[in-house]
Short mmCIF file of all heavy atoms in Angstrom, two decimals:
data_model
loop_
_atom_site.label_atom_id
_atom_site.label_comp_id
_atom_site.label_asym_id
_atom_site.label_seq_id
_atom_site.Cartn_x
_atom_site.Cartn_y
_atom_site.Cartn_z
N ALA A 239 53.50 126.44 127.81
CA ALA A 239 53.60 125.05 127.41
C ALA A 239 53.49 124.13 128.65
O ALA A 239 54.19 124.39 129.65
CB ALA A 239 54.90 124.75 126.69
N GLN A 240 52.64 123.13 128.59
CA GLN A 240 52.43 122.24 129.72
C GLN A 240 52.66 120.81 129.27
O GLN A 240 52.01 120.32 128.35
CB GLN A 240 50.99 122.38 130.30
CG GLN A 240 50.73 123.76 130.89
CD GLN A 240 49.39 123.86 131.55
OE1 GLN A 240 48.47 123.12 131.22
NE2 GLN A 240 49.26 124.80 132.49
N TYR A 241 53.61 120.14 129.98
CA TYR A 241 53.90 118.75 129.70
C TYR A 241 53.30 117.84 130.75
O TYR A 241 53.27 118.19 131.93
CB TYR A 241 55.45 118.53 129.68
CG TYR A 241 55.85 117.07 129.76
CD1 TYR A 241 55.84 116.29 128.63
CD2 TYR A 241 56.23 116.51 130.98
CE1 TYR A 241 56.21 114.94 128.67
CE2 TYR A 241 56.61 115.16 131.06
CZ TYR A 241 56.59 114.38 129.88
OH TYR A 241 56.95 113.09 129.97
N GLN A 242 52.80 116.70 130.32
CA GLN A 242 52.17 115.73 131.23
C GLN A 242 52.57 114.32 130.77
O GLN A 242 52.49 113.97 129.60
CB GLN A 242 50.66 115.86 131.22
CG GLN A 242 49.94 115.00 132.21
CD GLN A 242 50.08 115.49 133.66
OE1 GLN A 242 49.96 116.70 133.89
NE2 GLN A 242 50.28 114.59 134.58
N TYR A 243 53.02 113.53 131.76
CA TYR A 243 53.25 112.10 131.51
C TYR A 243 52.18 111.25 132.22
O TYR A 243 51.96 111.43 133.42
CB TYR A 243 54.64 111.67 131.96
CG TYR A 243 54.89 110.19 131.78
CD1 TYR A 243 54.87 109.60 130.52
CD2 TYR A 243 55.08 109.36 132.89
CE1 TYR A 243 55.07 108.25 130.34
CE2 TYR A 243 55.29 108.01 132.73
CZ TYR A 243 55.30 107.44 131.46
OH TYR A 243 55.45 106.11 131.28
N GLU A 244 51.53 110.36 131.50
CA GLU A 244 50.42 109.62 132.03
C GLU A 244 50.62 108.10 131.91
O GLU A 244 49.62 107.36 131.98
CB GLU A 244 49.12 110.01 131.37
CG GLU A 244 48.78 111.49 131.49
CD GLU A 244 47.64 111.98 130.64
OE1 GLU A 244 47.63 111.67 129.46
OE2 GLU A 244 46.75 112.63 131.21
N GLY A 245 51.82 107.68 131.79
CA GLY A 245 52.10 106.24 131.60
C GLY A 245 52.64 105.57 132.83
O GLY A 245 52.50 106.10 133.99
N ARG A 246 53.25 104.42 132.68
CA ARG A 246 53.82 103.66 133.78
C ARG A 246 55.00 104.38 134.36
O ARG A 246 55.81 104.97 133.63
CB ARG A 246 54.24 102.25 133.32
CG ARG A 246 53.09 101.38 132.86
CD ARG A 246 53.60 99.95 132.59
NE ARG A 246 54.76 100.00 131.64
CZ ARG A 246 55.50 98.94 131.36
NH1 ARG A 246 55.21 97.75 131.92
NH2 ARG A 246 56.51 99.04 130.50
N PRO A 247 55.19 104.32 135.68
CA PRO A 247 56.35 104.94 136.30
C PRO A 247 57.65 104.40 135.70
O PRO A 247 57.79 103.19 135.49
CB PRO A 247 56.22 104.56 137.78
CG PRO A 247 54.76 104.36 137.96
CD PRO A 247 54.23 103.75 136.68
N GLY A 248 58.55 105.32 135.38
CA GLY A 248 59.83 104.94 134.86
C GLY A 248 59.95 104.90 133.37
O GLY A 248 61.07 104.68 132.83
N ASP A 249 58.84 105.06 132.64
CA ASP A 249 58.88 104.99 131.18
C ASP A 249 58.71 106.32 130.49
O ASP A 249 58.49 106.37 129.27
CB ASP A 249 57.80 104.01 130.68
CG ASP A 249 58.11 102.57 131.04
OD1 ASP A 249 59.27 102.27 131.33
OD2 ASP A 249 57.17 101.75 130.99
N GLY A 250 58.75 107.40 131.21
CA GLY A 250 58.52 108.71 130.64
C GLY A 250 59.69 109.21 129.81
O GLY A 250 60.77 108.61 129.80
N LEU A 251 59.49 110.33 129.12
CA LEU A 251 60.53 110.86 128.25
C LEU A 251 61.63 111.58 128.98
O LEU A 251 62.70 111.80 128.40
CB LEU A 251 59.81 111.86 127.28
CG LEU A 251 60.64 112.38 126.09
CD1 LEU A 251 61.07 111.25 125.18
CD2 LEU A 251 59.85 113.42 125.33
N PHE A 252 61.40 111.93 130.27
CA PHE A 252 62.37 112.76 130.97
C PHE A 252 62.85 112.08 132.25
O PHE A 252 62.50 112.51 133.37
CB PHE A 252 61.79 114.13 131.28
CG PHE A 252 61.40 114.91 130.05
CD1 PHE A 252 60.08 114.97 129.71
CD2 PHE A 252 62.34 115.55 129.29
CE1 PHE A 252 59.70 115.68 128.57
CE2 PHE A 252 61.98 116.25 128.14
CZ PHE A 252 60.64 116.32 127.78
N PRO A 253 63.63 111.01 132.18
CA PRO A 253 64.18 110.41 133.40
C PRO A 253 65.21 111.35 134.01
O PRO A 253 65.87 112.13 133.31
CB PRO A 253 64.82 109.11 132.90
CG PRO A 253 65.18 109.40 131.47
CD PRO A 253 64.09 110.32 130.96
N VAL A 254 65.36 111.27 135.32
CA VAL A 254 66.36 112.06 136.00
C VAL A 254 67.71 111.41 135.73
O VAL A 254 67.95 110.25 136.07
CB VAL A 254 66.11 112.14 137.52
CG1 VAL A 254 67.29 112.73 138.24
CG2 VAL A 254 64.85 112.97 137.78
N LEU A 255 68.60 112.15 135.10
CA LEU A 255 69.91 111.61 134.68
C LEU A 255 70.93 111.80 135.83
O LEU A 255 70.94 112.83 136.50
CB LEU A 255 70.41 112.35 133.44
CG LEU A 255 69.48 112.25 132.22
CD1 LEU A 255 70.05 113.09 131.08
CD2 LEU A 255 69.27 110.82 131.80
N ARG A 256 71.76 110.79 136.01
CA ARG A 256 72.79 110.86 137.00
C ARG A 256 73.86 111.84 136.53
O ARG A 256 74.46 111.69 135.47
CB ARG A 256 73.43 109.47 137.20
CG ARG A 256 74.46 109.43 138.33
CD ARG A 256 73.77 109.53 139.67
NE ARG A 256 74.74 109.40 140.75
CZ ARG A 256 74.62 109.94 141.94
NH1 ARG A 256 73.54 110.67 142.20
NH2 ARG A 256 75.50 109.74 142.89
N GLN A 257 74.07 112.93 137.34
CA GLN A 257 74.97 114.00 136.92
C GLN A 257 76.30 114.00 137.65
O GLN A 257 77.27 114.56 137.17
CB GLN A 257 74.31 115.38 137.16
CG GLN A 257 72.93 115.52 136.53
CD GLN A 257 72.98 115.60 135.04
OE1 GLN A 257 74.02 115.86 134.44
NE2 GLN A 257 71.85 115.39 134.38
N GLY A 258 76.37 113.43 138.84
CA GLY A 258 77.61 113.46 139.57
C GLY A 258 77.47 112.75 140.93
O GLY A 258 76.69 111.79 141.04
N GLU A 259 78.17 113.22 141.92
CA GLU A 259 78.21 112.60 143.25
C GLU A 259 77.28 113.32 144.23
O GLU A 259 77.22 112.93 145.39
CB GLU A 259 79.62 112.59 143.79
CG GLU A 259 80.62 111.88 142.87
CD GLU A 259 82.04 112.06 143.31
OE1 GLU A 259 82.25 112.66 144.42
OE2 GLU A 259 82.97 111.62 142.61
N ALA A 260 76.61 114.35 143.81
CA ALA A 260 75.90 115.22 144.76
C ALA A 260 74.57 114.65 145.22
O ALA A 260 74.00 115.13 146.17
CB ALA A 260 75.67 116.60 144.14
N GLY A 261 74.05 113.60 144.58
CA GLY A 261 72.86 112.96 145.06
C GLY A 261 71.63 113.24 144.22
O GLY A 261 71.64 113.96 143.22
N ALA A 262 70.51 112.60 144.64
CA ALA A 262 69.28 112.62 143.84
C ALA A 262 68.68 114.02 143.67
O ALA A 262 68.16 114.35 142.63
CB ALA A 262 68.23 111.71 144.48
N LEU A 263 68.79 114.84 144.71
CA LEU A 263 68.22 116.21 144.61
C LEU A 263 68.98 117.02 143.56
O LEU A 263 68.34 117.66 142.69
CB LEU A 263 68.28 116.92 145.94
CG LEU A 263 67.79 118.35 145.98
CD1 LEU A 263 66.36 118.46 145.44
CD2 LEU A 263 67.87 118.93 147.37
N TYR A 264 70.27 116.99 143.57
CA TYR A 264 71.02 117.69 142.55
C TYR A 264 70.73 117.14 141.16
O TYR A 264 70.53 117.92 140.22
CB TYR A 264 72.55 117.58 142.84
CG TYR A 264 73.40 118.01 141.65
CD1 TYR A 264 73.41 119.33 141.24
CD2 TYR A 264 74.12 117.07 140.93
CE1 TYR A 264 74.17 119.71 140.12
CE2 TYR A 264 74.87 117.45 139.84
CZ TYR A 264 74.89 118.77 139.42
OH TYR A 264 75.62 119.15 138.32
N ASP A 265 70.69 115.83 141.04
CA ASP A 265 70.41 115.22 139.71
C ASP A 265 69.05 115.70 139.20
O ASP A 265 68.88 115.99 138.01
CB ASP A 265 70.40 113.69 139.83
CG ASP A 265 71.77 113.13 140.14
OD1 ASP A 265 72.78 113.83 139.85
OD2 ASP A 265 71.86 112.03 140.69
N SER A 266 68.06 115.79 140.11
CA SER A 266 66.73 116.21 139.69
C SER A 266 66.71 117.67 139.24
O SER A 266 66.15 118.00 138.20
CB SER A 266 65.73 116.02 140.85
OG SER A 266 65.61 114.65 141.17
N VAL A 267 67.34 118.56 140.05
CA VAL A 267 67.39 119.95 139.70
C VAL A 267 68.11 120.19 138.40
O VAL A 267 67.68 120.95 137.54
CB VAL A 267 68.01 120.78 140.83
CG1 VAL A 267 68.25 122.21 140.40
CG2 VAL A 267 67.12 120.75 142.08
N GLU A 268 69.25 119.48 138.25
CA GLU A 268 70.04 119.68 137.04
C GLU A 268 69.34 119.15 135.80
O GLU A 268 69.41 119.77 134.73
CB GLU A 268 71.42 119.02 137.23
CG GLU A 268 72.36 119.13 135.99
CD GLU A 268 72.69 120.57 135.62
OE1 GLU A 268 72.28 121.52 136.30
OE2 GLU A 268 73.38 120.74 134.57
N THR A 269 68.65 118.03 135.91
CA THR A 269 67.89 117.53 134.77
C THR A 269 66.78 118.51 134.41
O THR A 269 66.55 118.77 133.20
CB THR A 269 67.25 116.17 135.12
OG1 THR A 269 68.31 115.22 135.40
CG2 THR A 269 66.41 115.64 133.95
N CYS A 270 66.09 119.06 135.39
CA CYS A 270 65.07 120.07 135.10
C CYS A 270 65.67 121.31 134.48
O CYS A 270 65.08 121.88 133.55
CB CYS A 270 64.32 120.46 136.40
SG CYS A 270 63.30 119.13 137.08
#
């Protein structure tokens, strides 16, 4: 299965959700 977003930045279906205090990298990995 291959997902692709082709719209405006910030409007996709999978925003990186804020998970805690660990920072953007952790939030990105955890959302994935």
Side-chain angles (χ1 to χ4, degrees):
Q240 295 184 337
Y241 165 80
Q242 184 75 41
Y243 176 63
E244 300 172 310
R246 295 187 307 173
D249 289 342
L251 189 62
F252 300 101
V254 170
L255 302 176
R256 186 70 176 153
Q257 306 290 344
E259 303 171 6
L263 177 56
Y264 165 68
D265 294 336
S266 296
V267 171
E268 179 61 4
T269 299
C270 292

